[in-house]
Amino acid sequence: MAKTFYVTTPIYYVNAEPHIGHAYTTINADFLARWKRLDGYDTFFLTGTDEHGEKIAQAAARAGMEPQQFVDEVAAKFKKAWEILHISYDDFIRTTEERHKKVVRQYLQEIYDRGDIYYGEYEGLYCVGCERFLTEKELVDGKCPDHGVEPELRREGNYFFKMEKYRAWLRDHILKNPGFIRPERYRNEVLSILSEPIGDLSISRPKSRVSWGIELPWDPEHVTYVWFDALLNYVSALGYPDGERYRRYWPAAQHMIGKDILKTHAVFWPTMLKAGEVEIYKHLNVGGHLLADGRKMSKSLGNVINPFEWSAKYGPDAVRYYLLKETPYGLDGVVSEAGLVERYNADLANDLGNLLQRVRTMVIKYRGGVLRKREPGEGEAGVVAAASGLADRVRGLIDELKFNQALEEVLQFVRSLNRYVNERAPWKIKDEEDLDRVLYTVVDGLRTAAVLLEPAMPVKMAELRRALGLGELSVADVSGWGGLPDGHEIPAEAPILFPKIETKNKQQAGREEEEEERTPTIQYEDFAKLDLRVALVKSVEKHPNADRLLVIRLELDGEERTVVGGLAAHYQPQELVGKRVVLLANLKPRKLRGVVSHGMLLAAEGADGTLALLTPDREVEAGSKIS
C-alpha cells in the first residue's frame, strides 16, 4: 500500500498582505511536503486564502473596492509570494470558490439535520479583529489580548453549534492520542481549556450586519461564521465527501498552524468533524511566533520584517534555510537580518559552499573531472558510517518536528567532510588509488547532503547537484555509501553556490567587541534601566538540547515569554508551574542551545551551589513592576 501524506497551512486571511508570519508557517509546511515526496510518500500540500467575513468587507470598503475584487487582488499577492519563496503547493483553495461554498452548505445542512445546530439570542463581548465573541477570562485589562482593543458589547440572534456536547469526547481523544497536538506544551494548553465548559459556538451572523459570507442553506438571512466556513477548506479542497482526493489523503491529514489560532483548530475543528461523523485529522502541529528585537512585530514599533525583501537581497533559499534552522519548531524565535547573514556565511558559504568549491577544483585539477570508485579504507570508516545512517537520523528528527536539529545533523556531516579533507590532504597524496578514494568519498558525501538539504533549499541543492553532474535523487538513493558509479564526470564549469556576504571590517568589529567587554560603573540611573517584573510560570519542560536547562513559559502583562534557565538540577518542571517569580524583562534576547531566552529569572545561590528562585512573599499580579 502506498504511503500517503497530506499537509496544510492555515488559509490566510486576506485583510492584509503576506508577511513573515505567513511565510514562516508556509515554509515549514513546504519543508515537510518536500521531505515526504523525497522519502517516497504520495504527498498532497494545500494552502490558500480565507476571503469572507466582516473584516474583509471593511477592508474592501476602505480600499474603495467591491469585496470580490479586493479578495481577488490579495489572493493573487499570496500566490506571487509563494512563487518567490519556492512553495510547492499542490492546490490553492479560496473560500469564495464555488467548490468550497458547496461543501460548506452541505456540511452545515448535515449537522443541522442531526439536531446539532439551533437558533438562540446571545449577548456578549465581540472582537471584530478575531471575528468572535470573547469571554471575560480571555481579556487582558479588559482588552482583546491579540488586538489590544476593547471588544464591543453585542446582542443578536444567531445559530449555534452544540460544541459543548463534544467536549468530553475531545478531551478523551487528546488524552488517548498524545501526539494529536504537537509540541506537547500546546496539548496541555488545550486540555486546560477543555477542563471546564467551553459553551456552544455561534456559527452565523445576521446578513443585515455582515453580508459578505456564505448564506445558511435553511436561512438566507444569516451568513456562516467565518471560522466555520474557513476550517472546512481542509476537506472541501479534497472533494469531500466522495472525491478521490478525499478518500486518498484525508486519513493522513496534518495541519500546520501558528499558536494564535490554536483554539479554533484544536477545539472548534475536531468537534465540527465529530458532529459530521468525519474522521479526525492525524496531527495538529503548532508553531511559535517570530520576534524582532525580542518583541512581537508591529508597524507602530517599526520592527516589521519583510521576508520578500530579504529574498531579493540574499535569495529565497537562504531565507528558507535561516527561518527553519534558527528557531526550534513550536517555540518563539528572534530573527534579524544580521542573524540571517551570520547563519548564511557560517553554514552555507563557509561550510557547504566552500567544500563544494574545494572538491570540484581538486577533481578537475587532479583527475580531469572524472571520479574513480574505490573501496573505502580505514581513513574513510568514520565518514562512510556517518553517511550510511544520516538519512535515518534526519527522518527521525523531522518526524518529531525537530526541523532545526535535522538541518544541523546534515551540517555536522558537512563539517565532518571538511575535516576529512583537511586531515587526508589530497593535495599531498602521491598514491593515485588513495587520491581517487578521498575525492570519491567527499563527492559521494556531498551527494547525500544535497538530497537531505533539498527540502530547505530546493533551488540551491539542484544547483549543487548540477555542479557535481547529478540529476534528481531521492532519500532512498542516499541511504548508504557509494551511490556514484565508477567514471562519474564532474562538469568543468559551475557558479559559486553561496558567495560570501561581506560584513563589517575586522577593525571595526574589534572596536565594537572591546566596547562590549568593558564593565560600566553602576550608577542609580543604570539600575533604573532594569525592568524587573513579577511573572507567572505557565509551563516548564526540559530543554531539547541540554540536560541542565529548562524551557520556562511565563505570563507577563498578558504577554507570553519564553525563558531558558540552568535550573534542571535544582527543580523538577512540575514544581515551578504556578509559581510567581522575578524576571529581568528587558534583558537582550539570547539563544541558549538553539532556544531563544527572553529575559532572566533571578535566583540566589547557596554556599553548596543550590539555586533558589526569588519569589514575592505575597501574591501579586503577574506583570507587577519591582522597584
Side-chain angles (χ1 to χ4, degrees):
M1 185 177 177
K3 301 181 293 184
T4 57
F5 182 74
Y6 175 40
V7 65
T8 73
T9 70
I11 52 171
Y12 300 113
Y13 210 40
V14 294
N15 65 321
E17 295 186 8
H19 56 63
I20 195 166
H22 301 135
Y24 178 61
T25 301
T26 308
I27 288 169
N28 276 287
D30 187 68
F31 177 84
L32 260 183
R34 287 180 181 275
W35 168 261
K36 291 294 184 178
R37 293 187 193 112
L38 284 173
D39 203 24
Y41 282 75
D42 176 10
T43 298
F44 195 82
F45 172 22
L46 176 70
T47 189
T49 44
D50 181 4
E51 302 180 3
H52 288 128
E54 187 174 2
K55 280 196 295 185
I56 302 299
Q58 292 175 350
R62 286 194 297 270
M65 301 165 69
E66 290 298 317
Q68 188 64 57
Q69 180 190 5
F70 178 82
V71 298
D72 286 348
E73 288 194 5
V74 181
K77 291 177 181 178
F78 274 91
K79 287 185 175 181
K80 180 62 178 177
W82 303 154
E83 180 184 333
I84 291 170
L85 291 174
H86 305 151
I87 304 301
S88 61
Y89 60 81
D90 295 291
D91 195 359
F92 189 101
I93 185 77
R94 298 178 57 189
T95 58
T96 54
E97 292 177 315
E98 185 55 39
R99 60 170 174 157
H100 174 75
K101 292 190 285 188
K102 177 183 176 182
V103 170
V104 173
R105 288 189 290 262
Q106 178 181 345
Y107 204 85
L108 281 164
Q109 189 68 57
E110 289 173 358
I111 296 177
Y112 182 76
D113 291 344
R114 290 191 179 102
D116 273 347
I117 293 177
Y118 64 91
Y119 183 82
E121 295 282 333
Y122 184 79
E123 182 175 81
L125 299 171
Y126 188 84
C127 175
V128 175
C130 295
E131 298 218 52
R132 69 181 180 92
F133 288 98
L134 304 178
T135 64
E136 292 278 3
K137 190 176 180 180
E138 291 178 282
L139 303 181
V140 176
D141 296 328
K143 297 179 179 180
C144 169
D146 292 329
H147 298 96
V149 297
E150 293 183 4
E152 304 171 7
L153 182 65
R154 286 188 179 179
R155 180 179 181 84
E156 60 187 24
N158 291 324
Y159 286 90
F160 290 82
F161 164 56
K162 294 180 180 178
M163 189 164 67
E164 173 65 26
K165 172 182 173 180
Y166 298 101
R167 176 170 65 92
W169 162 81
L170 179 57
R171 193 167 192 276
D172 187 59
H173 180 80
I174 295 171
L175 289 170
K176 288 180 178 177
N177 298 275
F180 178 60
I181 300 172
R182 307 184 297 180
E184 186 180 8
R185 67 182 65 84
Y186 299 111
R187 172 179 180 266
N188 295 336
E189 189 174 325
V190 174
L191 286 172
S192 177
I193 293 171
L194 296 173
S195 65
E196 54 189 46
I198 56 175
D200 292 339
L201 178 65
S202 171
I203 58 100
S204 74
R205 301 291 181 263
K207 196 171 181 181
S208 58
R209 182 170 65 79
V210 182
S211 60
W212 184 242
I214 301 173
E215 293 179 355
L216 299 185
W218 65 87
D219 187 348
E221 296 306 310
H222 283 254
V223 297
T224 310
Y225 168 47
V226 66
W227 270 112
F228 205 99
D229 163 3
L231 288 164
L232 286 165
N233 90 89
Y234 302 129
V235 294
S236 70
L238 298 180
Y240 171 87
D242 50 15
E244 190 274 333
R245 275 183 180 179
Y246 177 73
R247 292 191 298 270
R248 185 172 168 187
Y249 294 113
W250 180 247
Q254 297 197 27
H255 301 313
M256 306 288 286
I257 66 166
K259 66 180 184 179
D260 53 325
I261 52 175
L262 175 63
K263 185 176 181 180
T264 53
H265 282 79
V267 179
F268 295 6
W269 182 220
T271 56
M272 287 167 58
L273 291 169
K274 182 66 174 176
E277 299 180 359
V278 174
E279 182 179 356
I280 309 305
Y281 54 83
K282 190 173 181 180
H283 293 298
L284 180 64
N285 305 320
V286 187
H289 286 157
L290 296 183
L291 311 175
D293 56 41
R295 298 176 293 176
K296 287 184 73 172
M297 297 180 206
S298 74
K299 291 180 180 178
S300 60
L301 291 174
N303 65 347
V304 175
I305 292 171
N306 186 326
F308 311 106
E309 290 179 0
W310 281 4
S311 295
K313 194 170 182 180
Y314 304 111
D317 277 9
V319 175
R320 290 171 60 100
Y321 178 82
Y322 173 64
L323 294 180
L324 288 162
K325 184 73 159 53
E326 195 67 13
T327 302
Y329 185 78
L331 296 177
D332 292 348
V334 176
V335 292
S336 67
E337 187 170 2
L340 186 156
V341 171
E342 182 179 1
R343 177 70 65 190
Y344 173 99
N345 280 338
D347 292 5
L348 304 182
N350 292 350
D351 291 336
L352 182 57
N354 187 48
L355 177 63
L356 174 66
Q357 193 70 13
R358 292 172 78 192
V359 74
R360 273 184 45 79
T361 299
M362 288 187 286
V363 172
I364 292 168
K365 180 177 180 181
Y366 302 142
R367 285 294 177 261
V370 179
L371 286 175
R372 309 304 309 190
K373 187 173 184 178
R374 308 296 183 192
E375 288 302 308
E378 288 186 12
E380 288 67 52
V383 172
V384 171
S388 298
L390 186 58
D392 287 339
R393 294 195 300 276
V394 168
R395 180 186 294 109
L397 291 167
I398 292 174
D399 285 345
E400 295 175 2
L401 305 181
K402 297 176 180 177
F403 307 147
N404 65 319
Q405 291 183 41
L407 293 174
E408 179 59 21
E409 192 78 19
V410 184
L411 262 291
Q412 289 287 6
F413 175 66
V414 169
R415 294 176 193 122
S416 75
L417 289 176
N418 273 305
R419 289 193 297 272
Y420 170 78
V421 171
N422 292 337
E423 289 164 5
R424 298 286 271 122
W427 51 91
K428 295 181 180 179
I429 295 175
K430 303 301 182 184
D431 183 280
E432 292 195 0
E433 187 169 318
D434 197 28
L435 176 60
D436 286 335
R437 182 178 293 113
V438 172
L439 296 178
Y440 182 94
T441 298
V442 179
V443 174
D444 197 63
L446 275 171
R447 178 183 69 95
T448 297
V451 173
L452 301 181
L453 291 172
E454 183 179 330
M457 298 180 286
V459 173
K460 283 295 184 179
M461 290 308 97
E463 289 182 18
L464 192 157
R465 292 198 310 273
R466 286 195 295 272
L468 296 177
L470 301 169
E472 292 188 3
L473 298 167
S474 70
V475 174
D477 294 322
V478 296
S479 294
W481 181 88
L484 288 169
D486 183 43
H488 179 78
E489 295 185 12
I490 302 293
E493 300 291 335
I496 296 174
L497 190 63
F498 294 107
K500 191 161 186 177
I501 300 169
E502 292 301 322
T503 56
K504 297 174 182 176
N505 63 60
K506 292 182 179 179
Q507 185 177 6
Q508 181 183 357
R511 284 198 302 269
E512 290 176 355
E513 288 175 7
E514 190 177 322
E515 285 294 325
E516 288 179 3
E517 289 173 3
R518 293 176 186 167
T519 304
T521 302
I522 297 298
Q523 301 291 342
Y524 175 80
E525 291 77 11
D526 297 311
F527 177 76
K529 295 175 183 177
L530 302 181
D531 185 15
L532 298 172
R533 302 271 180 162
V534 175
L536 176 65
V537 179
K538 301 294 288 183
S539 67
V540 183
E541 58 190 39
K542 293 182 178 179
H543 194 292
N545 304 321
D547 293 339
R548 69 181 188 84
L549 300 178
L550 295 179
V551 180
I552 304 164
R553 288 178 64 213
L554 305 169
E555 182 182 297
L556 179 75
D557 281 338
E559 173 193 352
E560 187 180 283
R561 287 280 189 103
T562 298
V563 170
V564 179
L567 300 169
H570 309 279
Y571 292 94
Q572 291 297 316
Q574 61 269 23
E575 287 182 72
L576 296 177
V577 176
K579 276 185 176 291
R580 282 173 165 75
V581 292
V582 177
L583 172 73
L584 177 55
N586 62 338
L587 187 67
K588 183 178 179 180
R590 179 185 176 197
K591 182 175 286 189
L592 298 173
R593 298 297 299 273
V595 179
V596 178
S597 182
H598 305 285
M600 181 174 67
L601 299 184
L602 301 193
E605 184 175 2
D608 60 354
T610 301
L611 294 182
L613 285 169
L614 300 189
T615 60
D617 66 355
R618 66 188 67 182
E619 188 169 307
V620 291
E621 291 183 0
S624 297
K625 189 169 177 62
I626 296 172
S627 57

